[in-house]
Amino acid sequence: MAVSEHALYAEEPRTMGLPLPNAKLAMWLFLATEIMFFSGLIGAYIVQRFGAPHWPRPEEMHLVVALGAFNTFVLICSSVTVVLALKALHEEKTQQAAMFLLATFLLGGVFMVVKAIEYTDKWRHHLLPGQVIESVPALVQEALAERRQVAQQQNKKPEEDAVFVALDRFYRYNIGNARLQPKEALQWYNEIRTAFAQANLPVLTRGEEVAERVAELVRQRRAELKQQRLAHDPLLEELEALSLAAHGIPMSKRQQAVHYHYLSEQKYREAHLPELRLYGNTWSSFYFTLTGIHALHVLGGMVVFAVLLVFYLLGRLGPDKALWVENAGLYWHFVDIVWIFLFPLLYLIG
Amino acid sequence: MTATHESHPHPNYLAVFAALVVLTGISVSSEYFLGAGAAHAVNVLVAVCKAVLVAMFFMHLKYDWFKVYFMVVPTLIVGVVLVLTLMPDATFSLYRNLLDVPPPIVGE
């Protein structure tokens, strides 16, 4: 016994340094730098998101949790396949290893395809950094452009579209400083009167009296609502907008946002007008930086697997390449771990 | 020095895969069963568990930890400390609400 034990110890070469292959040590050093890289990015996101006065919700920015969850599942599967490839290679089943490597490569491709679908969706909704609208005037212009397009598609004039007329009025008189002419004021008042028939608003015949009468009506309505312990209602919103326009008082930014919200969410809900996304540009910058850099890392990993597959096709893949596959696997698992943190942060916690 | 033989056994990868899928399911469905704050906490916890599972079993850290920890631990510490040092400046501000900020005093 003692002799054979002694022989066993004598067989092990005494070397300097870690009992770790150089390539593996180097890969771990690289992963350590990647940890720093991603913790900088993810840390910046955490700090910015919890420090911002407002942050858009994931649904507002068109993030679909199902797609993110599917991507998570795809990357987890690809991690399993790469480690099964390593196991197969250790057991000298080279073809099985190559099949697993191919599966990893294809799953990486699926991840990239889903990412491309998500990015295309963002592009279509103008959710790119610098293109997200964060001010009401720009938002109204965008809504007007959309309605013009809709009218053009239906071969109608934009002026025949009620939504367009309302938005145009809102822009010119409430946001801009155009003077509301008596005729237009009267027409506006009559439209409100017909829309809220049950409120029994008085009949007005002259456009000039619209200004004072509507201001009076606003006060009345506010008193009524206070009686009913309500803060606001659509009729008050409409009357206020007309009153301010008739008196030539521009709406404050906050009131513009509230009125646009009323128009887009209540009055013309089915028109699907664009929404105001405050801090959407910051969100977009972070989203594309985080997921884009991660996607580039996935692409790099896919290149390595492609090279390994080429090696297999050239008949040069064998148990002696196990270290290659192991290192490629280490990198791939790291990319998977980054996504495991990105997914809840971006999609679930938001 | 190249190690061409496996120096440690392979764990049951499919069991780890099943655990990861279950944890993902828990994370995705947490907001439907819990309130917002609890769901966020569960999501973070689940993410850490998944990362640890992948690191320990897929990256073989369970077996290689003592050969490798000296590279990983400092980076993790620095990564966390980076966020903690920046948080007071960026998040714990006097005015959390845009409407609370007083208007600038323009020179008289």
Side-chain angles (χ1 to χ4, degrees):
Chain A
M1 274 302 134
V3 174
S4 56
E5 267 179 307
H6 183 73
L8 192 66
Y9 285 133
E11 268 173 45
E12 280 207 13
R14 314 252 315 243
T15 57
M16 296 271 292
L18 292 161
L20 201 65
N22 284 341
K24 206 162 167 190
L25 175 68
M27 178 50 85
W28 272 109
L29 274 173
F30 173 62
L31 290 183
T33 65
E34 291 283 271
I35 291 174
M36 286 307 302
F37 182 52
F38 279 102
S39 63
L41 288 173
I42 293 179
Y45 177 81
I46 293 172
V47 165
Q48 172 67 27
R49 186 242 179 276
F50 290 104
H54 176 83
W55 198 256
R57 291 176 322 231
E59 314 84 67
E60 272 180 59
M61 304 309 285
H62 290 255
L63 274 186
V64 182
V65 171
L67 284 179
F70 177 71
N71 262 354
T72 311
F73 178 69
V74 162
L75 275 188
I76 292 175
C77 285
S78 66
S79 275
V80 175
T81 52
V82 78
V83 86
L84 287 174
L86 179 65
K87 187 172 169 193
L89 208 55
H90 277 157
E91 294 165 1
E92 307 204 11
K93 298 174 189 164
T94 314
Q95 197 189 20
Q96 196 182 59
M99 288 300 113
F100 278 127
L101 287 175
L102 180 66
T104 312
F105 180 81
L106 291 175
L107 285 168
V110 168
F111 179 89
M112 296 302 284
V113 163
V114 173
K115 262 277 146 269
I117 293 172
E118 288 182 304
Y119 278 18
T120 316
D121 189 50
K122 302 280 175 309
W123 175 281
R124 240 180 246 130
H125 289 101
H126 301 297
L127 294 175
L128 304 175
Q131 289 198 15
V132 179
I133 297 174
E134 297 189 38
S135 79
V136 177
L139 195 60
V140 174
Q141 282 296 323
E142 171 89 8
L144 285 170
E146 265 182 32
R147 295 314 294 181
R148 268 195 207 100
Q149 251 194 339
V150 166
Q152 201 184 38
Q153 280 172 357
Q154 296 173 349
N155 285 323
K156 287 200 293 197
K157 294 178 65 165
E159 289 76 25
E160 294 165 19
D161 182 16
V163 185
F164 182 89
V165 168
L167 287 171
D168 189 53
R169 247 184 219 153
F170 176 48
Y171 189 81
R172 283 200 283 141
Y173 303 116
N174 292 122
I175 300 176
N177 57 2
R179 304 224 40 194
L180 186 61
Q181 302 302 322
K183 209 173 95 177
E184 174 88 33
L186 193 60
Q187 194 179 3
W188 193 342
Y189 177 74
N190 285 329
E191 279 177 24
I192 297 178
R193 223 181 124 254
T194 44
F196 295 90
Q198 74 278 20
N200 287 329
L201 295 168
V203 180
L204 296 178
T205 45
R206 285 171 53 241
E208 286 75 9
E209 57 179 349
V210 165
E212 317 93 59
R213 293 303 301 274
V214 174
E216 209 179 285
L217 288 169
V218 165
R219 278 194 291 271
Q220 267 179 15
R221 188 72 192 158
R222 278 215 194 100
E224 278 171 33
L225 288 175
K226 196 166 169 187
Q227 286 255 325
Q228 301 169 21
R229 289 167 164 270
L230 287 170
H232 223 67
D233 92 320
L235 177 57
L236 180 61
E237 192 67 46
E238 300 264 2
L239 288 174
E240 268 182 353
L242 174 53
S243 173
L244 287 168
H247 283 103
I249 303 171
M251 276 187 178
S252 67
K253 276 193 194 166
R254 195 172 179 284
Q255 203 169 6
Q256 285 174 17
V258 168
H259 192 71
Y260 182 83
H261 188 262
Y262 159 71
L263 286 174
S264 65
E265 297 298 307
Q266 283 188 39
K267 194 171 180 202
Y268 299 118
R269 196 178 172 77
E270 65 287 341
H272 295 294
L273 297 172
E275 348 165 346
L276 189 66
R277 296 181 178 96
L278 289 178
Y279 281 80
N281 284 301
T282 317
W283 181 95
S284 190
S285 290
F286 272 101
Y287 173 78
F288 281 104
T289 307
L290 286 169
T291 58
I293 287 186
H294 178 260
L296 284 176
H297 279 71
V298 170
L299 207 62
M302 280 172 67
V303 165
V304 173
F305 287 119
V307 167
L308 280 170
L309 285 169
V310 164
F311 266 48
Y312 170 71
L313 291 174
L314 295 175
R316 286 164 59 179
L317 189 71
D320 55 320
K321 292 278 187 306
L323 194 57
W324 263 63
V325 173
E326 188 167 11
N327 284 338
L330 280 178
Y331 175 78
W332 195 253
H333 294 131
F334 178 75
V335 163
D336 185 21
I337 287 177
V338 170
W339 182 256
I340 282 172
F341 281 110
L342 275 186
F343 167 63
L345 209 54
L346 287 173
Y347 290 76
L348 299 177
I349 299 176
Chain B
M1 163 177 135
T2 51
T4 55
H5 63 283
E6 55 192 270
S7 41
H8 47 69
H10 288 283
N12 185 354
Y13 295 124
L14 291 178
V16 179
F17 170 65
L20 286 171
V21 170
V22 164
L23 283 171
T24 310
I26 291 174
S27 184
V28 171
S29 58
S30 65
E31 60 177 324
Y32 299 111
F33 296 118
L34 303 166
H40 292 344
V42 164
N43 287 340
V44 169
L45 219 65
V46 161
V48 170
C49 283
K50 282 162 69 177
V52 165
L53 277 176
V54 170
M56 286 237 299
F57 293 105
F58 289 171
M59 294 170 102
H60 292 174
L61 270 185
K62 184 166 176 247
Y63 314 99
D64 290 339
W65 178 250
F66 291 106
K67 305 175 187 172
V68 152
Y69 74 96
F70 63 96
M71 292 180 278
V72 172
V73 169
T75 57
L76 287 175
I77 292 173
V78 174
V80 170
V81 166
L82 181 77
V83 175
L84 291 177
T85 41
L86 287 177
M87 278 193 91
D89 289 320
T91 65
F92 307 148
S93 56
L94 267 176
Y95 304 109
R96 287 305 311 278
N97 197 336
L98 271 176
L99 296 173
D100 291 338
V101 179
I105 301 171
V106 183
E108 308 261 313

